[in-house]
Amino acid sequence: MIRAATVDDVPEIRALIRELAAYEKAEHEARATEEQLREALFGERPAAHVLIAEDDDTGAPVGFALWFPRFSTWTGTRAMHLEDLYVRPHARGAGHGIALLAALAATCVHEGWERFEWWVLAWNEPTVDFYTSLGVEFLDEWRICRLTGEPLAALAAR
């Protein structure tokens, strides 16, 4: 079952984020607190939205998808950016990942959004293969740019 997250899910969302970060070998980078997540997801001006995948038999959370709207100047429409998609290892292969992606795709279609985009780590071959099976187009000609820390501060000071 796929459902929208509620504020009561914040501890579980944080746990899932930390599990994803550990899987991606970057647990030290997952510093978001429950308070930050509560404000970002359920505060006065939510920055993102979360879907929770639950085990059909137990109702236990087994995965999540965190996304936010974007805007495409080329299409003149909003788009969706999927920031995180994660299904716990013991629940993989049961259809939770595809159900989360299908729910997000349905939101795009319902809202008239023409793009649904996300990033995937190149070394994550099982996930790349999964996305390939869905017909995902990989945009190899694009590179992700990121400024953080001192370079970000230096540019801001110019």
Side-chain angles (χ1 to χ4, degrees):
M1 180 171 124
I2 305 300
R3 63 171 177 81
T6 69
V7 70
D8 293 334
D9 291 312
V10 168
E12 193 67 34
I13 293 167
R14 183 173 184 273
L16 287 160
I17 289 169
R18 299 213 23 97
E19 289 175 35
L20 170 62
Y23 175 76
E24 292 183 354
K25 301 169 181 61
E27 190 171 9
H28 62 284
E29 294 180 35
R31 300 183 314 261
T33 66
E34 286 184 22
E35 181 178 307
Q36 288 173 313
L37 291 170
R38 194 172 292 105
E39 178 61 28
L41 301 174
F42 302 102
E44 188 175 316
R45 294 177 46 198
H49 308 277
V50 175
L51 294 179
I52 301 287
E54 294 180 333
D55 181 271
D56 290 334
D57 296 327
T58 67
V62 294
F64 82 112
L66 188 146
W67 65 276
F68 53 87
R70 298 176 50 179
F71 180 77
S72 170
T73 57
W74 289 18
T75 67
T77 65
R78 286 188 181 239
M80 180 181 285
H81 177 79
L82 174 61
E83 181 67 15
D84 288 327
L85 174 74
Y86 178 73
V87 175
R88 289 182 161 139
H90 75 273
R92 292 181 188 158
H96 301 292
I98 190 89
L100 285 165
L101 288 170
L104 295 171
T107 297
C108 289
V109 170
H110 175 75
E111 297 293 335
W113 302 348
E114 296 182 31
R115 292 184 179 174
F116 176 20
E117 299 176 332
W118 64 92
W119 304 339
V120 62
L121 291 167
W123 60 258
N124 193 346
E125 290 183 29
T127 302
V128 170
D129 292 344
F130 171 61
Y131 293 152
T132 299
S133 75
L134 299 177
V136 167
E137 174 187 5
F138 292 94
L139 304 177
D140 294 330
E141 67 275 11
W142 290 88
R143 301 210 40 202
I144 299 167
C145 302
R146 177 181 293 163
L147 273 175
T148 61
E150 182 55 36
L152 176 63
L155 181 58
R158 289 181 94 172

